[in-house]
Amino acid sequence: MKKTLKMHDESTSRQKVDDDVEEGALPPYLLDRDQTQRAKVLSNTIKQKRKEKAGKWDVPLPKVRPVAEEEMFKVLRTGKRKTKQWKRMVTKATFVGPGFTRKPPKYERFIRPTGLRFTKAHVTHPELKCTFNLDIISVKKNPNGQMYTSLGVMTRGTIIEVNVSELGLVTPAGKVVWGKYAQVTNNPENDGCINAVLLV
C-alpha cells in the first residue's frame, strides 16, 4: 500500500536532480589543494622580493674584526683612594648629536673624549667615483653590538647616516634625498678622520 502511495506522490514531489558531472571534476576533499599551491607560489615571490631588497644593501665590508671590550673602553679609577672602577672612557671615534650635553661627572659612566668626537665624514660615491665631506646625522648600526650603537661609537664596518642634500640626489618620485647610509671603511681612531662608502 505504501509503495502505491509513494508512486502517486512522486508525480507532485520535487526531487534534487544530480548535475551532470564534468570531465576532470574534483571531489570536495581535493578542492583546497589548488589554494595551497597558489599560496606556495605567493610565498616564493615574497621571498624573492625580500632577497632583492636585501641585495640592495650589500655592504662593502660584510665581515669585520670584532673589537674586545678591553680595547674599546679604558677603565677609570675614581674616588679619593682611586678604588672605584665603574667609569669607562671610550677609546674609539664617536659621534654625539649637535644638542649633546654631558651628564655631571659624578654620574657619567661612559666618557666620550672631545678629541675623538667626529661630526663629518669623507664619503665616497661608488658610481660617481667622487668623495664628499658630509655631515654625519647618526650612527645607525655598529657591528660590535647595540651598546656601541647607542653610544655612537664608530669602528670599521659601522653603518652611519650622512646628510647628502648637497649632492642633489633625487628619488624616482622627484623628491630630494636628505639622508643616506654609508659604511665606515677605515679605523677612524688611527687615521684621525672617517672614510666611508655610500650604500646605493
Side-chain angles (χ1 to χ4, degrees):
M1 187 69 181
K2 281 182 183 177
K3 278 185 181 177
T4 49
L5 283 171
K6 185 123 193 304
M7 283 167 65
H8 286 294
D9 285 343
E10 268 182 5
S11 57
T12 54
S13 66
R14 291 180 181 178
Q15 289 181 344
K16 190 185 174 196
V17 180
D18 286 338
D19 296 328
D20 293 334
V21 179
E22 293 178 20
E23 193 67 35
L26 284 172
Y29 61 87
L30 290 177
L31 284 173
D32 60 337
R33 293 210 178 169
D34 185 35
Q35 291 171 1
T36 55
Q37 190 74 24
R38 200 177 298 122
K40 184 95 172 168
V41 170
L42 188 67
S43 67
N44 284 348
T45 53
I46 290 167
K47 281 179 190 169
Q48 192 66 32
K49 278 186 181 174
R50 279 185 191 154
K51 275 184 187 173
E52 284 169 14
K53 202 169 186 184
K56 276 184 190 173
W57 306 110
D58 276 340
V59 289
L61 300 171
K63 287 184 179 178
V64 288
R65 180 183 69 86
V67 181
E69 204 166 303
E70 292 77 30
E71 188 187 339
M72 187 79 78
F73 300 120
K74 179 187 170 190
V75 179
L76 287 186
R77 289 171 168 270
T78 54
K80 191 177 180 182
R81 303 269 173 261
K82 303 293 178 200
T83 51
K84 296 174 182 174
Q85 299 181 20
W86 58 274
K87 284 195 177 188
R88 299 285 180 271
M89 184 184 280
V90 181
T91 59
K92 305 286 181 188
T94 55
F95 168 78
V96 293
F100 172 74
T101 49
R102 284 179 62 181
K103 283 182 181 175
K106 191 177 179 182
Y107 305 110
E108 189 177 32
R109 176 148 194 239
F110 295 104
I111 298 162
R112 290 171 276 191
T114 46
L116 283 170
R117 291 185 200 169
F118 289 89
T119 54
K120 283 185 172 280
H122 304 301
V123 182
T124 305
H125 197 293
E127 288 167 10
L128 299 174
K129 298 283 190 291
C130 294
T131 305
F132 305 93
N133 194 15
L134 303 175
D135 290 316
I136 300 169
I137 299 170
S138 65
V139 174
K140 194 69 188 167
K141 182 113 167 58
N142 189 308
N144 293 300
Q146 178 57 39
M147 183 174 72
Y148 303 134
T149 305
S150 57
L151 282 170
V153 178
M154 289 179 286
T155 53
R156 194 165 187 261
T158 305
I159 305 291
I160 56 173
E161 194 174 5
V162 288
N163 186 351
V164 292
S165 56
E166 62 186 61
L167 301 188
L169 299 174
V170 184
T171 60
K175 290 182 179 176
V176 176
V177 179
W178 190 66
K180 239 178 170 357
Y181 295 139
Q183 189 180 32
V184 179
T185 53
N186 70 327
N187 292 314
E189 72 278 2
N190 296 347
D191 300 343
C193 66
I194 294 170
N195 299 335
V197 175
L198 206 65
L199 304 179
V200 287

